[in-house]
Amino acid sequence: MTQVATFGSTARLRPVEHCDPASPTVVLADTQPAVRHWVRSALEHGGGACVVGEAATANAAIAETSRHRPDVLVIDPQIGESLTVDVIGRVSLVSPGTKVLVLSSVDDDNAIRSAIHAGARGYLIKGADVDQIVRGVQVVAAGEAIVGKAIAARFSALMRAAAAPEPYPFPQLTTREREVLDRIAAGRSNAAIARDLGLASKTISNRLSAVFAKLGVAGRAQAIVLARDAGLGRGEFTGNREQFPYRRETGRT
């Protein structure tokens, strides 16, 4: 039987180095121990994932994600006082490689839209069967996306509404400069941005200098604060959501 070491409001389970390399690593975040136990059992008994950490608060979820850098964070966004957007956005900053799968009792268009817009790769409703939970984690870990059957019927219309373009907060920037600003707001380094865009590091530095001048900021830190206050850098997908195809789960919810 797995021994759980508890500290604060979190529980650390299997060390990452003891996980099967073929299995995605997972951190579970939910205020209810019974829910975490149920999801952990579903994943481990189904052979679908290796649970490396647990959390019962939003701050603990961020801490565990930062500590373990899991492939997937399974989270109930109603985990505390923090807003859904804030929790999911913080995950992208502390562990950019971690995908977020929401497991919530809330089947509400605004909640779903907020979670997806913030960067969640999937949204399942509590009550989903074991196979759906396992499949959801595997799909999200593979870089794809999924929604439960109860959501799928209205999902396209919901995301079309969410995809309506909003005015860019800094219209003085060129398209290339916006690409760089969005990435530094998401915590990317110059070298990483250069790789993302297929450009030289010197080119990125030059574009950043132009961005700082146009925004009237002294440097990178101020630009990041300004950008994130305007809603940039909160998720990997900042463009047209029609380009983000979701799988529709066909099992029972």
Side-chain angles (χ1 to χ4, degrees), residues 87-206:
V87 175
I88 297 176
R90 287 167 65 194
V91 169
S92 71
L93 292 177
V94 302
S95 182
T98 296
K99 314 298 190 300
V100 176
L101 173 63
V102 171
L103 182 63
S104 176
S105 58
V106 177
D107 184 2
D108 172 79
D109 286 357
N110 288 333
I112 296 166
R113 189 182 295 114
S114 294
I116 300 304
H117 186 68
R121 293 290 191 113
Y123 198 109
L124 299 178
I125 302 299
K126 288 180 180 178
D129 61 30
V130 169
D131 290 342
Q132 286 183 349
I133 299 297
V134 173
R135 176 174 165 75
V137 167
Q138 292 174 336
V139 166
V140 168
E144 299 184 53
I146 192 167
V147 293
K149 181 181 178 182
I151 301 168
R154 66 184 193 277
F155 187 75
S156 294
L158 187 156
M159 294 315 294
R160 277 197 298 271
E166 297 180 2
Y168 190 78
F170 308 110
Q172 68 270 40
L173 301 183
T174 67
T175 299
R176 299 302 186 187
E177 290 165 352
R178 294 176 187 186
E179 291 176 341
V180 174
L181 178 62
D182 198 43
R183 282 169 170 79
I184 67 167
R188 305 285 282 168
S189 66
N190 284 15
I193 296 171
R195 289 194 299 270
D196 289 347
L197 301 180
L199 299 171
S201 294
K202 179 63 174 176
T203 301
I204 301 303
S205 296
N206 290 340

Side-chain angles (χ1 to χ4, degrees), residues 58 61-62 73 75 77 79 82-92:
I62 299 302
L73 170 65
I75 186 169
I79 196 169
S82 298
L83 297 175
T84 299
V85 171
D86 292 337
V87 175
I88 297 176
R90 287 167 65 194
V91 169
S92 71

Side-chain angles (χ1 to χ4, degrees), residues 2-5 7 9-16 19 24-30 36-37 39-40 43-44 49-56 60-61 63-75:
T2 304
Q3 295 297 312
V4 180
F7 50 99
S9 56
T10 64
R12 185 172 57 197
L13 300 160
R14 194 177 303 173
V16 174
C19 293
T25 54
V26 176
V27 166
L28 304 177
D30 196 291
R36 299 198 304 271
H37 175 76
V39 176
R40 183 174 71 246
L43 294 176
E44 293 186 340
C50 180
V51 179
V52 296
E54 294 186 6
E64 285 291 272
T65 299
S66 178
R67 179 179 295 110
H68 298 296
R69 304 298 175 95
D71 296 307
V72 180
L73 170 65
V74 179
I75 186 169

Side-chain angles (χ1 to χ4, degrees), residues 221-232:
Q222 290 182 10
I224 290 173
V225 171
L226 193 64
R228 287 195 55 77
D229 283 348
L232 301 184

